[in-house]
Amino acid sequence: MLMKNNLSLNIIPAQGESHSIAVDVKKIGCSRNAARDIEATNAMLDEVRAKGYQMHPAAGICFRSRYLITNEDAIEVQGAQTSGEVEFVAVLHQGEIFISVGSDHNDRSLEELQATMLGKVFDTAKMKQLAPAVIAKEAWAYADIRDHWDEIVLKSYVSAADQKIPYQEFPLAHLLDLDYYLRECPWLNEDGSILLGGSS
């Protein structure tokens, strides 16, 4: 039997009282190189391939073990080269889609691998298995925010020397939208599925 992961989210509706849900996490997909301009992204990835690396396609989905997502306030990592990025998170629960924000952490020490059987591999999938992904404790119904999706701005910060330093700021218009993934990823329509939608 596979490990279970029950994730508690506080749903903030456009109208009415907030309420909690408990998501039985079944599958976690992570989008990589998720810019809306797929042609430009593929051109960038071709530069990596030209160096001899095997590389996933634009907006390539890799899967993360179901226990590797949390909304705890702190996580444990394996080393100093771990980093995160802000991104939207979509959660399917009891037939309804909820949207939150999160950070898909990676261990950059495994970014470029050399394997006897595979040659040079730019393997972000393995990087994602070495650290948990983080999701906020609050979420919104997709139906409540879908009509202004592209106007939503994501921001992230890093803390250093007791200072909060801006790290990222971009609108969701820069990324492939959720409707794209709902079309391309049939698994995302199954209860307990979670998508981390990439970053800019």
Side-chain angles (χ1 to χ4, degrees), residues 1 3 40-43 48 52 66 82 98 102 108 110 131-132 149 155 159 163-164 172 182 193 197:
M1 176 167 297
M3 294 177 65
T41 301
N42 275 325
V48 179
R66 70 174 71 193
T82 301
F98 298 98
R108 301 290 178 186
L110 288 184
W149 180 269
K155 299 180 182 181
S159 297
Q163 290 187 322
K164 186 178 178 180
L172 286 181
L182 291 172
S193 295

Side-chain angles (χ1 to χ4, degrees), residues 20 30 35 39 80 107 126 141 160 164 168 180 188 200:
S20 294
C30 304
E39 187 174 321
D107 189 319
K126 284 188 173 61
K164 186 178 178 180
Q168 292 174 287
Y180 168 86
L188 190 53
S200 178

Side-chain angles (χ1 to χ4, degrees), residues 51-127:
K51 297 176 182 178
Y53 288 99
Q54 296 188 47
M55 188 72 174
H56 58 78
I61 299 290
C62 69
F63 293 100
R64 196 181 208 125
S65 299
R66 70 174 71 193
Y67 65 90
L68 286 174
I69 192 163
T70 183
N71 52 16
E72 295 291 332
D73 293 331
I75 61 172
E76 291 183 87
V77 298
Q78 302 299 314
Q81 294 190 52
T82 301
S83 65
E85 298 174 322
V86 66
E87 49 202 292
F88 77 83
V89 182
V91 179
L92 192 79
H93 176 68
Q94 296 183 354
E96 189 170 359
I97 301 172
F98 298 98
I99 303 297
S100 188
V101 293
S103 180
D104 177 16
H105 281 60
N106 297 280
D107 189 319
R108 301 290 178 186
S109 66
L110 288 184
E111 193 165 57
E112 299 178 4
L113 301 176
Q114 180 79 38
T116 303
M117 296 290 291
L118 299 175
K120 295 169 73 174
V121 180
F122 200 91
D123 195 342
T124 54
K126 284 188 173 61
M127 292 161 52

